[in-house]
Amino acid sequence: MDFKISAQKLGLEVDEYIEIIELFLETGINDLKRLEHAVANNDAQMAAEHSHSLKGASGNLGLTDIYEKARDIEDRSRENNLDGVADEIQEINQDFKNILAALKK
């Protein structure tokens, strides 16, 4: 992940963008855990709410992969269809890990 390019797209300094990304990861992991819990309990409404939160935050930061997955989860949850959502949640978990690894470089 190129933080410099992402920061430039948003009109931010790299340090500012990284600080916001770190905050996103802190809050996003909680949304992701709540999303996992909602799916495990077959609660489509809660899944829609938490995926909506992830979608908005990731979209604002230009994290397109997470945004698209969260959007798909939200859409499917609103249709009360949680089939395959757990797999997408695992992919978002991996996206978070990739961002963390990029931050450590």
Side-chain angles (χ1 to χ4, degrees):
M1 173 168 202
D2 191 331
F3 295 114
K4 184 176 181 179
I5 291 173
S6 297
Q8 287 175 342
K9 287 180 182 179
L10 296 174
L12 298 170
E13 296 293 324
V14 175
D15 291 345
E16 292 172 316
Y17 183 73
I18 288 174
E19 188 175 318
I20 294 169
I21 287 290
E22 290 171 340
L23 181 59
F24 165 76
L25 292 174
E26 288 175 28
T27 58
I29 198 71
N30 289 327
D31 279 324
L32 198 53
K33 287 178 183 178
R34 290 181 183 119
L35 176 58
E36 287 175 324
H37 182 70
V39 171
N41 289 303
N42 204 32
D43 188 338
Q45 180 180 351
M46 288 305 294
E49 289 177 23
H50 294 298
S51 56
H52 178 80
S53 179
L54 275 171
K55 179 186 79 172
S58 60
N60 287 335
L61 293 172
L63 302 171
T64 309
D65 289 344
I66 295 173
Y67 170 83
E68 289 175 0
K69 291 169 192 155
R71 181 188 64 202
D72 184 57
I73 293 169
E74 180 185 16
D75 291 346
R76 291 166 57 186
S77 297
R78 295 207 185 280
E79 295 170 356
N80 203 29
N81 176 10
L82 298 178
D83 294 338
V85 168
D87 293 335
E88 284 188 293
I89 292 170
Q90 291 310 311
E91 291 175 16
I92 294 172
N93 263 318
Q94 186 58 52
D95 292 335
F96 274 53
K97 290 175 185 176
N98 294 342
I99 293 169
L100 280 169
L103 285 171
K104 292 179 180 180
K105 288 185 178 181

